[in-house]
Amino acid sequence: MPKNSYVVGLDIGTKKVAAIIGEITEEKKVEIIGIGTAESRGLRKGIVVNLDSTVDAVKKAQEEAELMAGVEIDAAFIGISGAHIKSFNSRGVIAVSGKNKEISREDIKRVIEQSKAVSIPPDREIIHIIPQEFVVDDQDGIKDPLGMSGIKLEVNVHIVTGAITSVQNLRTCVARAGIEIEQVVLNQIATSSSILTHDEMELGVGLIDIGGGTTEVAIFERGSLWYTSVIPIGGDNFTNDIAVGLRTPIPDAEKIKKKYGCVSHPLVDEQETIEVPTVGRGKKPRVLSRQLLADIIHPRAEEIFRLVDNDIKRMGYEKSLNSGIVITGGTALLEGLEEVAEEIFDLPVRRGDPSGAGGLVDRVGTPDFATTVGLIQYGYNLYKETGLPRDRKKGFWSKFKDWLKEA
Ligand SMILES: Nc1ncnc2c1ncn2[C@@H]1O[C@H](COP(=O)(O)OP(=O)(O)OP(=O)(O)O)[C@@H](O)[C@H]1O
Ligand SMILES: [Mg+2]
């Protein structure tokens, strides 16, 4: 009976650190068996700025998930974000080697390698090179050129880079928590695995993950990733707007946002009221109209969507969004957000709740777990291609035992 296999996702966000342990079942599915979360205090706008408190949060989330699952985490897929992430499209070209001009695995590797030949500043490292499509002798739109015949092989790729120091700080935190890194994965790529449908990614879709400190954007079309960006505005800004607008402490503003928050004035009944604690001890809470709250936070939602819309238009992707826009991340829980987005993008908008895994999926079925659930799905898909870690990385003793068995 083979030992069970696990896939672990670790999302180190600005608001929370979340760890999910997935078990790969014999029916070749992922079942969520462990979930751990911890408040995050060591990040600013998606970037680690305090190692100690981030390590503490990672350990706390890890322990909680391990306790629930009854297994220990040794390796995990880690999400990365922050405004230091820069991504762009590039192209590689090679002459097909071999006598009969049949494209081999080696050629595919070589052409992808060649696409990296663009100059990357010395303070950046490559996080992903994602092939979008191959071109064989000017025939484009090829997904898998293996075995095809041709003289020239080209590939269009999307390259994601990050600031070496920021990536390193993230790695250090995970290492200090005693977790091995399977792979650092761009948040948007992870999130797409739990949120977007195959059809959306084929037809063209914009993914917007509004978290606590950041808004992460990605555009997919023809099954590939074409554009990503990170805007350093998120749910925390809504909370601040409420604290200032209603003159109430931040923790109260956060509670009010979650309980009564709505970004669209017309969706709120005139009669509805909210109770707002006042700054200063002994003062009575005030009763205000909920429409006032909507008026306070509406401009922030509009600002975020306008920034994304301008970005999409500036890059020329407005024609790519045939399936519209999908909003996720914790802030997607704000009432009325889809309506505001629909107005600004003039496109259909839906909220994305993570799906696709089994087990305790109900407990992580809200948009704040989109990235973490996505990480285990991304990891699982990778394992399907490359084999499970236990089959890949064999220590001396297990190799020796295998050898004895075979001998
Ligand atoms: N019910 C709710 N209504 C409104 N906002 C909510 C609700 N629940 C959570 N949020 C907000 O969602 C944000 C956190 O989202 P999420 O957990 O996706 O962030 P994160 O991944 O930690 O941060 P980031 O992605 O920016 O690094 C917070 O600003 C929080 O106030
Ligand atoms: Mg996030």
mmCIF file of all heavy atoms in Angstrom, residues 22 60 70 78 99 111 126 164 239 255 264 287 315 328 352 406:
data_model
loop_
_atom_site.group_PDB
_atom_site.id
_atom_site.type_symbol
_atom_site.label_atom_id
_atom_site.label_comp_id
_atom_site.label_asym_id
_atom_site.label_seq_id
_atom_site.Cartn_x
_atom_site.Cartn_y
_atom_site.Cartn_z
ATOM 1 N N GLY A 22 -3.959 19.301 1.028
ATOM 2 C CA GLY A 22 -4.827 18.484 0.182
ATOM 3 C C GLY A 22 -4.265 17.073 0.105
ATOM 4 O O GLY A 22 -3.058 16.885 0.038
ATOM 5 N N LYS A 60 1.924 29.445 12.688
ATOM 6 C CA LYS A 60 0.611 29.287 13.310
ATOM 7 C C LYS A 60 -0.372 28.630 12.323
ATOM 8 O O LYS A 60 -1.076 27.679 12.683
ATOM 9 C CB LYS A 60 0.092 30.663 13.756
ATOM 10 C CG LYS A 60 -1.066 30.561 14.673
ATOM 11 C CD LYS A 60 -1.373 31.874 15.381
ATOM 12 C CE LYS A 60 -2.703 31.772 16.068
ATOM 13 N NZ LYS A 60 -3.805 32.364 15.302
ATOM 14 N N GLY A 70 -3.847 15.934 10.695
ATOM 15 C CA GLY A 70 -3.149 14.797 11.300
ATOM 16 C C GLY A 70 -1.931 14.375 10.497
ATOM 17 O O GLY A 70 -1.475 13.242 10.602
ATOM 18 N N ILE A 78 4.002 28.078 -2.707
ATOM 19 C CA ILE A 78 3.891 29.372 -2.049
ATOM 20 C C ILE A 78 3.443 30.435 -3.063
ATOM 21 O O ILE A 78 4.048 30.559 -4.130
ATOM 22 C CB ILE A 78 5.274 29.841 -1.500
ATOM 23 C CG1 ILE A 78 6.069 28.681 -0.903
ATOM 24 C CG2 ILE A 78 5.124 31.013 -0.536
ATOM 25 C CD1 ILE A 78 5.510 28.107 0.354
ATOM 26 N N LYS A 99 17.625 15.047 -37.971
ATOM 27 C CA LYS A 99 17.679 14.834 -39.428
ATOM 28 C C LYS A 99 16.329 15.016 -40.110
ATOM 29 O O LYS A 99 16.199 15.723 -41.083
ATOM 30 C CB LYS A 99 18.203 13.423 -39.710
ATOM 31 C CG LYS A 99 19.720 13.379 -39.785
ATOM 32 C CD LYS A 99 20.171 12.053 -40.351
ATOM 33 C CE LYS A 99 21.425 11.601 -39.609
ATOM 34 N NZ LYS A 99 21.370 10.237 -39.125
ATOM 35 N N VAL A 111 13.727 26.169 -27.263
ATOM 36 C CA VAL A 111 13.073 27.391 -27.751
ATOM 37 C C VAL A 111 12.539 28.203 -26.564
ATOM 38 O O VAL A 111 12.578 29.437 -26.569
ATOM 39 C CB VAL A 111 11.973 27.085 -28.809
ATOM 40 C CG1 VAL A 111 10.716 26.511 -28.199
ATOM 41 C CG2 VAL A 111 11.642 28.339 -29.607
ATOM 42 N N ILE A 126 13.484 35.484 -12.643
ATOM 43 C CA ILE A 126 12.315 34.956 -13.359
ATOM 44 C C ILE A 126 11.557 34.006 -12.440
ATOM 45 O O ILE A 126 12.152 33.129 -11.822
ATOM 46 C CB ILE A 126 12.753 34.234 -14.652
ATOM 47 C CG1 ILE A 126 13.341 35.261 -15.638
ATOM 48 C CG2 ILE A 126 11.588 33.481 -15.268
ATOM 49 C CD1 ILE A 126 13.838 34.673 -16.930
ATOM 50 N N ILE A 164 14.530 40.320 -6.756
ATOM 51 C CA ILE A 164 15.236 39.223 -6.070
ATOM 52 C C ILE A 164 15.082 39.326 -4.555
ATOM 53 O O ILE A 164 14.797 38.339 -3.880
ATOM 54 C CB ILE A 164 16.738 39.215 -6.467
ATOM 55 C CG1 ILE A 164 16.871 38.749 -7.913
ATOM 56 C CG2 ILE A 164 17.552 38.295 -5.545
ATOM 57 C CD1 ILE A 164 18.280 38.740 -8.454
ATOM 58 N N THR A 239 -11.533 50.125 4.582
ATOM 59 C CA THR A 239 -11.628 50.247 6.043
ATOM 60 C C THR A 239 -11.179 51.637 6.494
ATOM 61 O O THR A 239 -11.840 52.275 7.330
ATOM 62 C CB THR A 239 -10.774 49.146 6.712
ATOM 63 O OG1 THR A 239 -11.191 47.883 6.183
ATOM 64 C CG2 THR A 239 -10.937 49.149 8.217
ATOM 65 N N LYS A 255 -15.116 46.070 11.301
ATOM 66 C CA LYS A 255 -16.334 45.314 11.643
ATOM 67 C C LYS A 255 -17.534 45.852 10.871
ATOM 68 O O LYS A 255 -18.352 45.097 10.351
ATOM 69 C CB LYS A 255 -16.605 45.422 13.149
ATOM 70 C CG LYS A 255 -15.800 44.424 13.954
ATOM 71 C CD LYS A 255 -16.230 44.475 15.423
ATOM 72 C CE LYS A 255 -15.045 44.203 16.338
ATOM 73 N NZ LYS A 255 -15.053 44.995 17.567
ATOM 74 N N SER A 264 -22.792 50.183 -3.290
ATOM 75 C CA SER A 264 -23.731 50.747 -4.250
ATOM 76 C C SER A 264 -24.938 51.360 -3.530
ATOM 77 O O SER A 264 -25.755 50.633 -2.944
ATOM 78 C CB SER A 264 -24.154 49.639 -5.222
ATOM 79 O OG SER A 264 -25.206 50.084 -6.024
ATOM 80 N N VAL A 287 -26.225 56.370 15.498
ATOM 81 C CA VAL A 287 -27.003 55.630 14.506
ATOM 82 C C VAL A 287 -27.011 56.452 13.218
ATOM 83 O O VAL A 287 -27.417 57.605 13.205
ATOM 84 C CB VAL A 287 -28.447 55.370 15.006
ATOM 85 C CG1 VAL A 287 -29.269 54.686 13.925
ATOM 86 C CG2 VAL A 287 -28.418 54.511 16.267
ATOM 87 N N MET A 315 -2.981 48.641 -22.311
ATOM 88 C CA MET A 315 -2.247 47.490 -22.846
ATOM 89 C C MET A 315 -2.944 46.882 -24.060
ATOM 90 O O MET A 315 -2.418 45.950 -24.671
ATOM 91 C CB MET A 315 -2.099 46.409 -21.760
ATOM 92 C CG MET A 315 -1.361 46.844 -20.519
ATOM 93 S SD MET A 315 0.287 47.509 -20.836
ATOM 94 C CE MET A 315 1.148 46.036 -21.405
ATOM 95 N N THR A 328 -12.622 38.274 -7.275
ATOM 96 C CA THR A 328 -12.475 37.407 -6.116
ATOM 97 C C THR A 328 -11.594 38.090 -5.074
ATOM 98 O O THR A 328 -11.350 39.284 -5.142
ATOM 99 C CB THR A 328 -11.971 36.000 -6.548
ATOM 100 O OG1 THR A 328 -12.057 35.126 -5.443
ATOM 101 C CG2 THR A 328 -10.558 36.040 -7.061
ATOM 102 N N GLY A 352 -16.157 35.190 -8.020
ATOM 103 C CA GLY A 352 -15.530 33.868 -8.104
ATOM 104 C C GLY A 352 -15.311 33.263 -6.739
ATOM 105 O O GLY A 352 -14.575 33.792 -5.922
ATOM 106 N N GLU A 406 14.493 -4.841 -6.566
ATOM 107 C CA GLU A 406 14.621 -5.211 -7.977
ATOM 108 C C GLU A 406 15.639 -6.311 -8.187
ATOM 109 O O GLU A 406 15.534 -7.114 -9.102
ATOM 110 C CB GLU A 406 15.033 -3.973 -8.782
ATOM 111 C CG GLU A 406 13.847 -3.083 -9.109
ATOM 112 C CD GLU A 406 14.275 -1.677 -9.471
ATOM 113 O OE1 GLU A 406 15.400 -1.506 -9.956
ATOM 114 O OE2 GLU A 406 13.464 -0.747 -9.235
#
